Amino acid sequence: MMALPVSGGGDSGGGTVADAVSGLLVLHCAIRLVRDRRRPLSRTAAVVLALPVVGIALAAAGAASPGAGITGLVRYLQIFVLVPVAVMLLIRDRRDARLVAWSLIGLALWQGAIGVHQYATGTGASYMGEEIRAVGTFGAADVMGMATVVSFGVVCSLGLALGAGPGRQRTAAALCSLALLLPLALSFSRGAWIATAVTCGVQLALAGMRRAVKVFAVVAAASVILVGGLGVGTAMLQERISSITQVADAPDQSVTDRYTMWAAAVDMWRDQPLTGVGLKGFPDHRDGNASLALSSGSDTEGAGAGFKRQPLLSPHNMYLLILSEQGLLGLLALAGSWFALLVCGLRRLFAARRRAARDLDCALVACGLLTWQLVDFAYADIGGPSTALTAVLFGLAAWWALASEEAEDR
């Protein structure tokens, strides 16, 4: 469903077909559990995956209106509890995990191909006055959608390439990883670049330093050919990359808006330190806590949509969004659950590497995706059509960290 064009031009204000399918996935999993009459989760898995419910429920009770509380409750439970649990329980073995990974790669190649075509034909989202920004089928209102999907594809393909699978699989995955670098660059998404670079570095280090040096050499050569030799977006890419180091010295308006909203989120937390202002409460309290440096919104245009002013309704930092709306209790519950998944996943990854297990590729994919999301959450939050993939990501990470021991020999 994520490969289909998003209705409404990528407007993130409502649910999508992918959200509806994720609900059917949860229902299917529940029916299977009732039919099989088996205990679904271990004690550890139950505690880790149910921990976010505490903070979410308290924040929903403190919402400004029952409607906002219910809407926020359903959304958070969908992304961080229900769908991850369903994905975790429905993945039976490493073959299923690889199927999920290759599905993400296929989706990334599809969206990336559309994005490259948008750049080449000038039919993408508006960027610096030109409609060249690659956004795939997500539209100009969700410029991070394609970048997120392509980043997931890069992380999955690199993890499969570094594993101990068949040679043809590793070669194909490596080629996919290199091919996806072009649409990732043309997304002009600084956040996706940073998260992908950090995650790929972590994956290479976990797989072994000798292999890391070889891969770094190949990636550097491919980058020189694409950017230096072929001149793929050279001037604009260089300017966008250099702007990463200027966020403190000479920030543009988008960065200024982000800093202002971060400060507003912290002020909201100071007013309600334990439970926050309630789910969906950030937009209502934003103007009362933000400085005059905050603009009225961001401009979107192109990719088949007309000019539109997008309101700034979140701090674009998941940790600060949770802190402001759910307070310290909510942040400890959600972030604690994510940290537990990462620790458990890394522990099992090190064990798999010591015994040269065949599921090392699954470990690198699961831990890599989780690492990417936790890094990206430092300057992004949930919202938009691509959010449903976040739930799948957490489910795959939960399978590796908490439920893969029984499937290890299958």
Side-chain angles (χ1 to χ4, degrees):
M1 295 300 101
M2 215 51 92
L4 301 177
V6 177
S7 60
D11 191 349
S12 59
T16 65
V17 178
D19 292 322
V21 172
S22 71
L24 294 177
L25 180 74
V26 174
L27 180 61
H28 170 67
C29 181
I31 293 174
R32 282 193 57 179
L33 292 178
V34 173
R35 184 189 63 189
D36 297 342
R37 297 180 181 179
R38 64 184 179 90
R39 181 180 178 182
L41 299 173
S42 66
R43 184 176 302 176
T44 302
V47 171
V48 171
L49 295 174
L51 188 60
V53 178
V54 178
I56 296 171
L58 288 174
S65 66
I70 293 174
T71 302
L73 177 67
V74 171
R75 186 61 162 169
Y76 272 90
L77 291 180
Q78 172 204 3
I79 302 302
F80 298 118
V81 181
L82 296 178
V83 176
V85 169
V87 172
M88 170 186 171
L89 295 176
L90 292 174
I91 294 178
R92 296 162 298 183
D93 49 37
R94 65 173 72 96
R95 288 173 297 181
D96 284 357
R98 292 187 184 114
L99 177 61
V100 175
W102 277 111
S103 298
L104 291 174
I105 294 172
L107 176 62
L109 289 171
W110 167 251
Q111 293 288 353
I114 295 176
V116 172
H117 179 266
Q118 290 171 334
Y119 174 84
T121 59
T123 56
S126 178
Y127 178 76
M128 297 182 66
E130 299 183 54
E131 295 187 355
I132 58 171
R133 188 168 191 175
V135 293
T137 64
F138 293 98
D142 185 23
V143 294
M144 278 295 295
M146 191 213 73
T148 298
V149 171
V150 171
S151 298
F152 288 171
V154 173
V155 172
C156 288
S157 56
L158 182 60
L160 293 174
L162 294 174
R168 285 181 297 179
Q169 172 185 279
R170 288 186 281 119
T171 300
L175 292 176
C176 290
S177 181
L178 292 175
L180 290 171
L181 293 179
L182 177 57
L184 180 61
L186 298 180
S187 70
F188 294 100
S189 174
R190 293 172 293 195
W193 294 346
I194 295 172
T196 304
V198 171
T199 302
C200 291
V202 170
Q203 286 179 301
L204 290 168
L206 291 174
M209 294 308 298
R210 181 178 301 178
R211 185 177 297 179
V213 173
K214 295 179 180 179
V215 175
F216 274 129
V218 173
V219 172
S223 301
V224 170
I225 294 174
L226 287 175
V227 178
L230 301 181
V232 178
T234 305
M236 289 188 177
L237 282 176
Q238 288 179 350
E239 183 176 348
R240 191 66 166 173
I241 292 172
S242 63
S243 69
I244 296 176
T245 61
Q246 298 171 356
V247 293
D249 299 331
D252 55 32
Q253 186 58 48
S254 65
V255 176
T256 300
D257 287 339
R258 188 161 302 190
Y259 287 163
T260 304
M261 290 189 293
W262 288 2
V266 173
D267 289 342
M268 294 179 202
W269 166 68
R270 287 172 178 166
D271 293 337
Q272 299 287 339
L274 287 181
T275 58
V277 298
L279 292 184
K280 300 288 185 178
F282 182 88
D284 296 333
H285 294 78
R286 183 199 62 183
D287 293 340
N289 292 274
S291 69
L292 296 178
L294 182 65
S295 66
S296 59
S298 59
D299 299 335
T300 62
E301 188 179 12
F307 177 83
K308 186 177 181 181
R309 191 74 171 169
Q310 288 285 105
L312 303 174
L313 303 178
S314 72
H316 294 288
N317 182 305
M318 192 65 199
Y319 304 108
L320 291 179
L321 177 63
I322 297 171
L323 189 65
S324 62
E325 293 188 346
Q326 303 182 35
L328 190 59
L329 292 177
L331 181 63
L332 290 176
L334 261 173
S337 175
W338 302 337
F339 181 73
L341 282 180
L342 185 60
V343 171
C344 293
L346 289 175
R347 178 177 60 85
R348 289 186 52 77
L349 185 150
F350 290 134
R353 193 175 70 175
R354 283 195 301 269
R355 64 176 186 273
R358 291 178 295 173
D359 54 1
L360 180 60
D361 54 348
C362 298
L364 292 170
V365 168
C367 293
L369 288 173
L370 183 58
T371 300
W372 188 96
Q373 193 62 74
L374 296 184
V375 173
D376 184 70
F377 273 167
Y379 35 79
D381 48 46
I382 58 174
S386 60
T387 301
L389 284 184
T390 301
V392 176
L393 176 157
F394 279 106
L396 184 59
W399 169 80
W400 170 254
L402 304 172
S404 59
E405 291 185 7
E406 297 178 358
E408 186 175 332
D409 297 326
R410 293 207 295 268

